[in-house]
Amino acid sequence: MAVTRQMIFPLAFYKKSKFNGSKGALNYRIEKVSGEDRDEFLLTIWKGPFCYEVTREEKTTHRYPFSDEGLDAIVEKLNQL
């Protein structure tokens, strides 16, 4: 099943919360991180079945602008998996 923009919540959600989801055997987390000069989205992807905190599998990360365009890019990335 494809990931849609409606499935990952609006931009305002990420100002205070993290989002965890899965697609097939992969899990992912979307969160806001603050850099030196700007806020960004951090997309972390790992193989299941365990949650972010206890997984020992290697995690890959991708950074995107903290914007609606950044969320669109995250949806695109997740659908490429």
Side-chain angles (χ1 to χ4, degrees):
M1 177 168 79
V3 176
T4 65
R5 180 65 189 275
Q6 291 77 22
M7 294 168 83
I8 62 168
F9 298 107
L11 186 67
F13 173 86
Y14 297 97
K15 292 180 180 179
K16 295 185 178 185
S17 300
K18 299 172 185 165
F19 178 77
N20 293 294
S22 63
K23 183 177 180 201
L26 295 175
N27 295 321
Y28 60 90
R29 171 183 266 189
I30 304 167
E31 61 187 303
K32 175 186 160 190
V33 293
S34 296
E36 290 181 19
D37 57 343
R38 64 182 177 149
D39 293 333
E40 297 178 307
F41 278 114
L42 180 65
L43 171 64
T44 307
I45 302 168
W46 69 96
K47 287 186 180 180
F50 300 111
C51 70
Y52 179 87
E53 289 80 15
V54 300
T55 191
R56 293 186 182 205
E57 296 289 329
E58 182 178 339
K59 299 172 187 169
T60 58
T61 59
H62 307 274
R63 292 182 178 268
Y64 299 93
F66 189 73
S67 65
D68 286 318
E69 292 78 15
L71 281 174
D72 291 338
I74 290 171
V75 168
E76 221 176 284
K77 177 67 177 176
L78 292 173
N79 284 319
Q80 291 173 358
L81 301 175

